[in-house]
mmCIF file of all heavy atoms in Angstrom:
data_model
loop_
_atom_site.group_PDB
_atom_site.id
_atom_site.type_symbol
_atom_site.label_atom_id
_atom_site.label_comp_id
_atom_site.label_asym_id
_atom_site.label_seq_id
_atom_site.Cartn_x
_atom_site.Cartn_y
_atom_site.Cartn_z
ATOM 1 N N SER A 168 -37.947 25.215 -236.079
ATOM 2 C CA SER A 168 -39.150 24.504 -236.453
ATOM 3 C C SER A 168 -40.398 25.394 -236.514
ATOM 4 O O SER A 168 -41.307 25.131 -237.245
ATOM 5 C CB SER A 168 -39.320 23.244 -235.583
ATOM 6 O OG SER A 168 -39.490 23.763 -234.222
ATOM 7 N N ARG A 169 -40.428 26.389 -235.704
ATOM 8 C CA ARG A 169 -41.625 27.280 -235.518
ATOM 9 C C ARG A 169 -41.153 28.706 -235.122
ATOM 10 O O ARG A 169 -40.253 28.799 -234.211
ATOM 11 C CB ARG A 169 -42.564 26.682 -234.633
ATOM 12 C CG ARG A 169 -43.847 27.417 -234.645
ATOM 13 C CD ARG A 169 -44.906 26.795 -233.675
ATOM 14 N NE ARG A 169 -44.583 27.174 -232.352
ATOM 15 C CZ ARG A 169 -44.634 26.249 -231.395
ATOM 16 N NH1 ARG A 169 -44.873 25.070 -231.532
ATOM 17 N NH2 ARG A 169 -44.364 26.675 -230.152
ATOM 18 N N VAL A 170 -41.727 29.652 -235.657
ATOM 19 C CA VAL A 170 -41.588 31.003 -235.320
ATOM 20 C C VAL A 170 -42.978 31.645 -235.092
ATOM 21 O O VAL A 170 -43.771 31.543 -236.029
ATOM 22 C CB VAL A 170 -40.730 31.881 -236.279
ATOM 23 C CG1 VAL A 170 -40.629 33.280 -235.787
ATOM 24 C CG2 VAL A 170 -39.358 31.264 -236.417
ATOM 25 N N ARG A 171 -43.249 32.243 -233.967
ATOM 26 C CA ARG A 171 -44.476 32.952 -233.724
ATOM 27 C C ARG A 171 -44.172 34.422 -233.562
ATOM 28 O O ARG A 171 -43.338 34.690 -232.691
ATOM 29 C CB ARG A 171 -45.184 32.428 -232.565
ATOM 30 C CG ARG A 171 -46.600 33.016 -232.300
ATOM 31 C CD ARG A 171 -47.295 32.353 -231.139
ATOM 32 N NE ARG A 171 -48.724 32.632 -231.126
ATOM 33 C CZ ARG A 171 -49.284 33.704 -230.443
ATOM 34 N NH1 ARG A 171 -48.478 34.463 -229.670
ATOM 35 N NH2 ARG A 171 -50.570 33.960 -230.418
ATOM 36 N N LEU A 172 -44.754 35.241 -234.330
ATOM 37 C CA LEU A 172 -44.485 36.637 -234.240
ATOM 38 C C LEU A 172 -45.855 37.300 -233.644
ATOM 39 O O LEU A 172 -46.827 37.315 -234.268
ATOM 40 C CB LEU A 172 -44.209 37.234 -235.629
ATOM 41 C CG LEU A 172 -43.090 36.682 -236.339
ATOM 42 C CD1 LEU A 172 -43.464 35.747 -237.419
ATOM 43 C CD2 LEU A 172 -42.118 37.707 -236.848
ATOM 44 N N GLN A 173 -45.780 37.876 -232.475
ATOM 45 C CA GLN A 173 -46.808 38.530 -231.868
ATOM 46 C C GLN A 173 -46.789 40.070 -232.167
ATOM 47 O O GLN A 173 -45.854 40.670 -231.748
ATOM 48 C CB GLN A 173 -46.856 38.320 -230.371
ATOM 49 C CG GLN A 173 -47.985 38.912 -229.661
ATOM 50 C CD GLN A 173 -49.367 38.331 -230.046
ATOM 51 O OE1 GLN A 173 -49.477 37.064 -229.959
ATOM 52 N NE2 GLN A 173 -50.377 39.138 -230.329
ATOM 53 N N GLU A 174 -47.765 40.494 -232.961
ATOM 54 C CA GLU A 174 -47.727 41.914 -233.362
ATOM 55 C C GLU A 174 -48.226 42.701 -232.180
ATOM 56 O O GLU A 174 -49.045 42.260 -231.409
ATOM 57 C CB GLU A 174 -48.614 42.138 -234.551
ATOM 58 C CG GLU A 174 -47.931 41.435 -235.763
ATOM 59 C CD GLU A 174 -48.790 41.650 -237.012
ATOM 60 O OE1 GLU A 174 -49.347 42.684 -237.264
ATOM 61 O OE2 GLU A 174 -48.898 40.709 -237.835
ATOM 62 N N ALA A 175 -47.879 43.938 -232.123
ATOM 63 C CA ALA A 175 -48.295 44.872 -231.090
ATOM 64 C C ALA A 175 -49.707 45.175 -231.089
ATOM 65 O O ALA A 175 -50.396 45.410 -230.131
ATOM 66 C CB ALA A 175 -47.468 46.198 -231.203
ATOM 67 N N ASN A 176 -50.381 44.985 -232.254
ATOM 68 C CA ASN A 176 -51.808 45.331 -232.563
ATOM 69 C C ASN A 176 -52.724 44.120 -232.197
ATOM 70 O O ASN A 176 -53.856 44.093 -232.372
ATOM 71 C CB ASN A 176 -52.015 45.804 -233.952
ATOM 72 C CG ASN A 176 -51.692 44.653 -234.877
ATOM 73 O OD1 ASN A 176 -51.535 43.547 -234.643
ATOM 74 N ND2 ASN A 176 -51.709 45.083 -236.246
ATOM 75 N N GLY A 177 -52.078 43.028 -231.704
ATOM 76 C CA GLY A 177 -52.836 41.803 -231.306
ATOM 77 C C GLY A 177 -52.853 40.664 -232.438
ATOM 78 O O GLY A 177 -53.228 39.568 -232.103
ATOM 79 N N ASN A 178 -52.597 41.032 -233.601
ATOM 80 C CA ASN A 178 -52.529 40.057 -234.658
ATOM 81 C C ASN A 178 -51.292 39.150 -234.482
ATOM 82 O O ASN A 178 -50.362 39.624 -233.781
ATOM 83 C CB ASN A 178 -52.428 40.642 -236.025
ATOM 84 C CG ASN A 178 -53.682 41.454 -236.418
ATOM 85 O OD1 ASN A 178 -54.805 41.145 -235.861
ATOM 86 N ND2 ASN A 178 -53.541 42.438 -237.218
ATOM 87 N N PHE A 179 -51.180 37.984 -235.009
ATOM 88 C CA PHE A 179 -50.024 37.212 -234.841
ATOM 89 C C PHE A 179 -49.846 36.259 -236.041
ATOM 90 O O PHE A 179 -50.827 35.902 -236.692
ATOM 91 C CB PHE A 179 -49.864 36.458 -233.524
ATOM 92 C CG PHE A 179 -50.863 35.297 -233.356
ATOM 93 C CD1 PHE A 179 -50.623 34.003 -233.797
ATOM 94 C CD2 PHE A 179 -52.211 35.595 -232.925
ATOM 95 C CE1 PHE A 179 -51.574 32.983 -233.630
ATOM 96 C CE2 PHE A 179 -53.173 34.543 -232.766
ATOM 97 C CZ PHE A 179 -52.834 33.293 -233.109
#
Side-chain angles (χ1 to χ4, degrees):
S168 59
R169 187 178 76 228
V170 177
R171 185 176 193 268
L172 303 105
Q173 181 65 51
E174 295 179 35
N176 64 10
N178 297 332
F179 68 94

